[in-house]
Amino acid sequence: MVTLTTDYTLVYFTNKLKLMEVNNQMKTNELAELLFPHITKSPAEYESLFPKRDLPEGAKVTRLGPSPTGFIHLGNLYGAFADERLAHQSGGTFFLRIEDTDDKREVEGAVDAIIESLAYFGVNFDEGAMAEGQLGSYGPYYQSERGQLYQCFAKELIKKGQAYPCFLKEEEISKIRQKQEAEKQNPGIYGTWAAHRNLTFEEIAERIKAGEEFVIRFKSHGDPSKHFQIEDAIRGTLSMPENEMDVVLLKKTGIPTYHFAHVIDDHFMRTTHVIRGEEWLSSLPIHVALFQALNWDMPIYCHTTVLMKMDGEIKRKLSKRKDPELSLDYYRGLGYHPAAVREYLLTILNSNFEEWRIENPLSSIEDFNFTTEKMGSSGTLFDLDKLNDVSKDVLVKIPAPELAQFLIGWAKSHNLELWKRLLGEVPSEESKRLAYLEKILDLGRNGNKPRKDLIFAQQIFAFISYFYDDSFDPTASDNYPENVPAEDVSKLLSGYLASYDHKDDQSAWFDKIRLLSIDNGYAAKPKDFKKNPDLYKGHVGDVSTVIRIALMGNTQSPDLWEIQQILGEERTKSRIAKAIK
RNA sequence: GACCCGUUGGUCAAGUGGUCAAGACGCCACCCUCUCACGGUGGACUCAGGGGUUCGACUCCCCUACGGGUUACCA
């Protein structure tokens, strides 16, 4: 009997609760219509409009979502390579979405600049924003054009009682923050601080009638004292507190915040892997809560490390304002080959890439199995020395004609004067000049121990400048060796000139230098000199250095004989003659 | 402040309870050599600190320190 009574009581209360829910349901429906009368499409319609992608098993869908400030930096490129590799090596799709939800920051022409810059470094998209318009059936790919979609789901969340309009003014919010600071509470709009969380329908209707502006906030039910686990493909299992913030979903302009746009877009664009910077880690609980509220599957998150640099003693994040080397234009300006930058970035992107490269020196990057597990999660220091080293190895594999084209292209856009001198002055001589440049670039690069002294365009042109009469300045030459007196310089050069025969092969040529050395009191072999330093003034190396300086103003250079062959008999002789006092 | 993430040589890092703690860049020395570059050989330089757990800890747990990030109607 007693049990029966309790049962009845329970049923009564349950029914009453259900009734209240129904009432609330009606109210939230009304509210949704009040707030978004113009939204008529249903969530289901969007689901069928953007169906799951028809891709092979295991194919990954990735995206790059830059904001159009026009500044695309090394960090973007770092992430973009990861996106690109992951998508393309799995037979998936990589798309470009422009995240232009911050109207204040937009820069004219920035999108084209982004696309051009990424393309230069070899990052190409399958769909999304393109130079010639938008491509793909999951668009539009500009967030600014997706307003209806975001509002539809804001409306949906309102209906479900998981979002609400908030009329708090800027001053009111800052007052709340001050109070929170005074009370040592966490700042933000949450819990009881969320003053408009439980406004009645009537109150809301009244404010709207009065023309008050509002934002749509997420009605959070999270408890930050509770933690949940989430897998990050780079970092492994993460433990995060539940989100309790009533974050803004839609700004007063109706434009979504990053959080909301990310969830909606990556769901409807069917992104499988979200690769983004570590700075997003703290907002992950928000995103998780939103995916749950909308009852959608989450993508796999991959939070990359930030790029750092050494600033004196301190290791710090690369900054846009202070560090020119963060900008991609920096590398283009100096003339780094895009393949070198790509190769370098891959070595810091995947820790086993370098090892693979040593074993597969000729393989294409496409053949490397890129994995998120091998990506680092601690701050990576950008290392210019390493880039230069990588660049040497990359450039040595590029055939001279191809390298020449790259250099000429660089000169044309970054140093027009240089370009004119190299190629442009007399159009009829263009092919001759090009052949000359190719010969210079190929110097010592063949054989099994190729020279590796070419790093980036600016450095290369300085390095080979002595091959060009107008950039060869004998007055700026290095000093002759200290152990060679001035009168010997003249004697040696005169002797060299007298015996010079352009048709000599390399060994005949060098035999003459040995003879010349002996005739003037220098050892024919460095070893002879080392054994008996008292017998000689120096050795054949010093004699060669004298010739080298006369010929190219430099103590350091590739093989002398080969240089003379490129310079030609006339110029070789005249440079030597001019150097004789 | 709170919350997250991280910490192996100067730098990038491999490493998941037993290793003489890989490899690469840079540095130094030597060799090759007409200079330089290349190449070769060798070297110096490492597990942030302290407690546990364990026969045994770079590896697991706790604390501290340090670095980074977030804490917006920016992304």
Side-chain angles (χ1 to χ4, degrees), chain A residues 285-324:
Chain A
I286 297 172
H287 305 150
V288 170
L290 288 174
F291 272 107
Q292 283 171 349
L294 289 159
N295 217 349
W296 292 339
D297 289 337
M298 276 193 292
I300 293 167
Y301 285 98
C302 314
H303 290 95
T304 63
T305 171
V306 287
L307 255 26
M308 318 274 275
K309 78 169 273 183
M310 251 6 233
D311 192 359
E313 297 283 295
I314 305 159
K315 190 175 171 182
R316 51 149 249 260
K317 189 181 170 184
L318 278 166
S319 115
K320 190 154 81 170
R321 278 181 49 215
K322 287 195 222 161
D323 309 311

Side-chain angles (χ1 to χ4, degrees), chain A residues 466 468-477 480 486 489-494 496-498 546-553 567 569-581:
Chain A
Y466 54 77
Y468 295 88
D469 288 335
D470 46 14
S471 57
F472 172 66
D473 179 9
T475 62
S477 290
Y480 287 106
V489 170
S490 294
K491 271 202 289 188
L492 289 168
L493 291 177
S494 307
Y496 181 65
L497 191 57
V546 168
I547 298 166
R548 186 168 265 119
I549 288 172
L551 221 43
M552 63 202 80
L567 281 173
E569 181 168 9
E570 203 178 309
R571 279 200 291 167
T572 301
K573 283 185 167 173
S574 101
R575 283 190 187 185
I576 298 287
K578 275 183 196 155
I580 300 171
K581 293 264 159 61

